[in-house]
Amino acid sequence: MRKPLVSTLAAALFGAAALTGIATAPAAAAAHEDTPPSFEGTVALSNCSGSVVKLKHSRPDDPALVLSNGHCLEEGMPGADEVIVDQPTSRDFTLLNADGSDAGKVHSDKIAYATMTDTDISLYETDSTYKEIKRKYGIDALKLDAKHPRKGRDITVVSGYWKEKFGCAVDGFAHRLKEADWTWKDSIRYTMECQTKGGTSGSPVIDDRTGKVVGVNNTHNEDGEMCTLNNPCEVNEQGHVVIRYLNAYGQQTYLINPCFGRGNQLDLDARGCHLPQPQS
């Protein structure tokens, strides 16, 4: 969860579950059979990566959405139980061409949704429509997959910040992933080829076969520590903790689709929407 600059946030330890050991590195993934995704549609933030994404109900004239991590907010990391909805902001994103060159800027005046509760996502509403971005820059938005990602599938983490790609496969899923004060559910665990780094936070995790976004990159265990900042640990259904040194993780994004309706407007009360809601 490290940004390019060193965070000053103090890390809290989780001591409730019993440590069962440090996991060994998973076996290397098979070589990719599919063509890796390009940089088209990805963006660079001031401190992270992201992507322009199109949802199930998105239309060409809808305001385009930018997907990144909740911990990438310029306003600071949300608290463990905090959910941010329709918050004013002013942020620019550098849009990339397929070859990784800068295409231009898109701007947002609103954080449509952001949280680090159960997941680690932020969605910015931009002041450009998908049609306007296509007409001005020739860039198509990435499509968000509506299905749960599959174990064993080849994936690529595409960082707009570094203009770098990380290819690997889905190694499995963490029942609970704990890092400092935060807990995330059903996180994507990568095979070890994806050695992400600060600045890759918020990068889209793309299924090489479909070309769709199945997750958003958010953290990896840097030092082999137990559940501290930048050192996430896995907790299974029985409460046992496993540390996977140098393993990287992402958060699934299929849950986003049911929560946005016509006009790309957030509706947390929509049928099938299970994203955390703001506390009343």
Side-chain angles (χ1 to χ4, degrees), residues 27 53 84 120 170 212 232:
V53 293
I84 296 167
D120 183 8
V170 176
K212 294 181 179 180

Side-chain angles (χ1 to χ4, degrees), residues 17-100:
L19 178 65
T20 60
I22 298 179
T24 57
H32 288 198
E33 298 178 354
D34 308 287
T35 302
S38 74
F39 289 98
E40 181 175 355
T42 62
V43 301
L45 285 67
S46 57
N47 58 353
C48 287
S49 301
S51 57
V52 179
V53 293
K54 187 176 291 185
L55 311 183
K56 180 179 179 180
H57 299 292
S58 298
R59 297 294 179 262
D61 290 322
D62 291 341
L65 298 174
V66 169
L67 170 68
S68 189
N69 286 147
H71 80 258
C72 290
L73 297 181
E74 288 183 316
E75 294 81 358
M77 296 184 188
D81 297 315
E82 185 178 4
V83 176
I84 296 167
V85 172
D86 293 338
Q87 178 174 299
T89 191
S90 180
R91 193 162 199 185
D92 290 322
F93 310 94
T94 301
L95 186 65
L96 301 188
N97 291 308
D99 62 2

Side-chain angles (χ1 to χ4, degrees), residues 32 35-40 42 96-100 155-168 193-197 200 203-204 206 208:
H32 288 198
T35 302
S38 74
F39 289 98
E40 181 175 355
T42 62
L96 301 188
N97 291 308
D99 62 2
I155 55 174
T156 303
V157 179
V158 186
S159 172
Y161 183 90
W162 289 111
K163 300 182 180 179
E164 188 174 353
K165 303 175 190 176
F166 303 81
C168 55
E193 292 86 353
C194 282
Q195 287 297 304
T196 56
K197 56 187 177 182
T200 62
S203 300
I206 300 174
D208 288 359

Side-chain angles (χ1 to χ4, degrees), residues 148-228:
H148 190 288
R150 294 171 60 182
K151 181 178 180 179
R153 291 291 280 265
D154 288 337
I155 55 174
T156 303
V157 179
V158 186
S159 172
Y161 183 90
W162 289 111
K163 300 182 180 179
E164 188 174 353
K165 303 175 190 176
F166 303 81
C168 55
V170 176
D171 182 62
F173 305 95
H175 173 67
R176 296 290 184 269
L177 192 67
K178 290 192 174 187
E179 181 172 339
D181 293 330
W182 300 278
T183 301
W184 305 307
K185 297 179 178 179
D186 200 20
S187 302
I188 304 170
R189 183 196 315 117
Y190 314 148
T191 54
M192 292 296 285
E193 292 86 353
C194 282
Q195 287 297 304
T196 56
K197 56 187 177 182
T200 62
S201 290
S203 300
V205 180
I206 300 174
D207 185 310
D208 288 359
R209 186 177 302 178
T210 65
K212 294 181 179 180
V213 177
V214 296
V216 56
N217 180 65
N218 79 310
T219 193
H220 78 284
N221 188 295
E222 296 182 3
D223 307 304
E225 294 180 1
M226 177 183 171
C227 314
T228 62

Side-chain angles (χ1 to χ4, degrees), residues 113-129:
Y113 183 87
T115 193
M116 290 177 67
T117 302
D118 295 347
T119 185
D120 183 8
I121 59 171
S122 60
L123 286 148
Y124 290 83
E125 181 181 300
T126 73
D127 57 11
S128 301
T129 66

Side-chain angles (χ1 to χ4, degrees), residues 128-144:
S128 301
T129 66
Y130 296 109
K131 182 188 294 184
E132 289 169 341
I133 291 174
K134 177 67 174 179
R135 183 170 60 242
K136 186 173 182 179
Y137 301 118
I139 300 295
D140 286 316
L142 297 173
K143 293 182 179 179
L144 210 66

